Amino acid sequence: MSEAEKSRARRWLDSLLAKADIAILRKSTLDELVEFNRYANSPDVSLPPGAAEVLRGDHPRLQDLISRYRDHPAAPSLWSQEFLARSLKLTTFRGDNAYIWQLRGLVKAAQYALTTHYLEKHDPLGLLDTLEEDGLFGAFTFDIDGRIVSRDLLDSVVELNYLHQVFKARGLDLHRPGLRFLDIGAGYGRLAHRATTAFPNLHYLCTDAVPQSTFLCDYYLTFRGAEQTQILPLDQVREALLHDLQEQGPLDLAINIHSFSEAPLAAITWWIDLLAEAQVQRLLIVPNTGQDLLSTEADEERLDFRPVIEERGFQLENVRAKFEHSDAVQRYGVFPSWYFLFGRG
């Protein structure tokens, strides 16, 4: 990068931060941000002891899940076994892959710097200081003025602060014992790990229509020592939720981050029917289709699935931009999105 290009980029970044109304003293220089990009392309992919023996495609547990999920009505999605073979490496499941895009943007390090400094100002729970990122399993990390961050960490901080905000507005406390969440499309357990670390009293259920996700989630949450989590295989989730309803009452919240946007309407409808039958109290959906709730059909048609939600008795209670305090960060931050919270009428 020439000095003229660096100068233009510095002016652009300074202007962007000013628009975001972030008053900070930055130690980072553009040269360091360029170095961050180079560093982010070389993550630490060393594995904990025993991981390589478990994280393999021919593991009997994974093969059993693949067989069990194959004909389930919620299983069809973009995540075919062919897609996973191209897009997911089990030993680096926290890398830039189908679970979390981490490096796709024009000014990657600047986006992470912008988002980090935004959260230093808008993180009432202080999670940016209490949750940690070690970069294991291929996660791409950025050193933002001495603070190590990843998309896993940043997204989780925003999401948990949002849930704290909307629950508090309804007289509920995320620290309350007995609170129970269900994560549909939990992936490798990113939010389950972060949520139960931040709120140790929270009981967090994880399920997914992708067998590799169930397999990885079980491994990862055990590795992290997330004792307040429970894995529900797809072919057992309905029975488990209805039993839970009889024994403990309805779940407080179901969460779906991005996965409904990658599933056909029929699969989404199966999940919403289950949530209604299990009398789940609230549903948080984070689409990857902007401000629209759209499915992805086999022929790539996109269908509005909000009517399915509302027809099952859920009403929209809150909708909010991911970075609600700054239009600039909502445009230029790390993967902007929208949050939709539905409640039972």
Side-chain angles (χ1 to χ4, degrees):
M1 180 180 288
S2 70
E3 289 303 316
E5 290 172 326
K6 290 179 182 179
S7 179
R8 286 195 296 272
R10 286 191 188 96
R11 291 196 299 272
W12 176 86
L13 183 57
D14 285 340
S15 173
L16 182 57
L17 291 169
K19 289 179 181 178
D21 191 26
I22 297 174
I24 55 170
L25 292 175
R26 299 187 307 281
K27 300 175 185 176
S28 305
T29 66
L30 185 66
D31 291 334
E32 289 173 321
L33 292 177
V34 172
E35 188 62 30
F36 290 165
N37 275 336
R38 284 201 283 268
Y39 172 69
N41 283 304
S42 301
D44 180 6
V45 293
S46 59
L47 294 175
E53 288 73 29
V54 176
L55 300 176
R56 51 189 178 86
D58 63 349
H59 193 285
R61 168 66 171 160
L62 175 56
Q63 291 301 310
D64 176 57
L65 290 168
I66 291 173
S67 176
R68 288 161 55 186
Y69 286 21
R70 184 170 292 120
D71 297 320
H72 193 281
S77 74
L78 291 177
W79 292 58
S80 66
Q81 292 304 308
E82 294 75 19
F83 169 78
L84 288 162
R86 298 191 306 269
S87 305
L88 176 65
K89 184 177 180 181
L90 293 178
T91 53
T92 54
F93 60 86
R94 295 185 70 222
D96 183 72
N97 57 35
Y99 286 119
I100 304 182
W101 289 2
Q102 298 165 54
L103 297 178
R104 307 180 197 196
L106 296 177
V107 188
K108 305 178 187 74
Q111 290 174 325
Y112 279 83
L114 178 64
T115 303
T116 300
H117 291 312
Y118 170 90
L119 285 175
E120 288 174 339
K121 187 176 180 180
H122 302 291
D123 176 20
L125 291 172
L127 298 179
L128 203 59
D129 293 322
T130 58
L131 300 180
E132 299 178 349
E133 178 54 74
D134 54 22
L136 289 177
F137 306 107
F140 287 89
T141 61
F142 292 84
D143 185 338
I144 307 300
D145 296 337
R147 188 189 294 277
I148 304 300
V149 300
S150 65
R151 184 181 174 194
D152 175 319
L153 176 64
L154 297 176
D155 278 3
S156 299
V157 169
V158 180
E159 290 154 2
L160 293 175
N161 272 292
Y162 171 75
L163 289 175
H164 166 73
Q165 172 190 327
V166 294
F167 268 65
K168 184 178 180 181
R170 290 153 181 77
L172 299 172
D173 183 356
L174 290 186
H175 290 96
R176 173 175 65 84
L179 205 63
R180 293 175 297 135
F181 288 1
L182 169 70
D183 195 336
I184 299 171
Y188 64 77
R190 167 188 68 84
L191 189 56
H193 166 227
R194 302 299 189 182
T196 54
T197 301
F199 305 104
N201 289 323
L202 176 63
H203 188 64
Y204 201 103
L205 308 175
C206 299
T207 191
D208 205 294
V210 177
Q212 284 82 352
S213 296
T214 302
F215 176 72
L216 290 170
C217 194
D218 192 7
Y219 170 82
Y220 185 64
L221 294 178
T222 300
F223 171 79
R224 292 297 187 189
E227 297 180 357
Q228 287 295 101
T229 61
Q230 180 182 352
I231 311 301
L232 300 180
L234 179 62
D235 57 347
Q236 298 174 9
V237 65
R238 182 177 181 275
E239 179 183 358
L241 292 190
L242 296 182
H243 179 268
D244 223 28
L245 175 64
Q246 295 299 318
E247 296 293 320
Q248 302 182 64
L251 293 168
D252 297 281
L253 177 72
I255 299 169
N256 183 272
I257 299 177
H258 298 324
S259 64
F260 279 172
S261 300
E262 299 170 351
L265 186 61
I268 298 168
T269 301
W270 186 91
W271 284 110
I272 302 302
D273 283 342
L274 175 58
L275 297 183
E277 186 179 10
Q279 300 176 31
V280 175
Q281 295 299 290
R282 290 182 175 83
L283 169 62
L284 171 65
I285 298 178
V286 183
N288 58 18
T289 49
Q291 298 183 59
D292 297 309
L293 300 179
L294 302 176
S295 71
T296 299
E297 304 303 309
D299 61 1
E300 299 186 1
E301 184 181 4
R302 312 304 291 261
L303 300 177
D304 184 3
F305 63 84
R306 179 170 169 176
V308 173
I309 299 170
E310 295 174 340
E311 289 165 4
R312 272 69 176 173
F314 290 95
Q315 299 174 355
L316 186 64
E317 292 185 349
N318 181 270
V319 59
R320 199 205 82 178
K322 178 177 179 178
F323 303 111
E324 65 170 338
H325 300 289
S326 170
D327 291 340
V329 182
Q330 180 64 14
R331 182 174 180 181
Y332 298 111
V334 174
F335 295 96
S337 55
W338 287 78
Y339 298 161
F340 294 79
L341 182 71
F342 294 87
R344 293 184 62 81

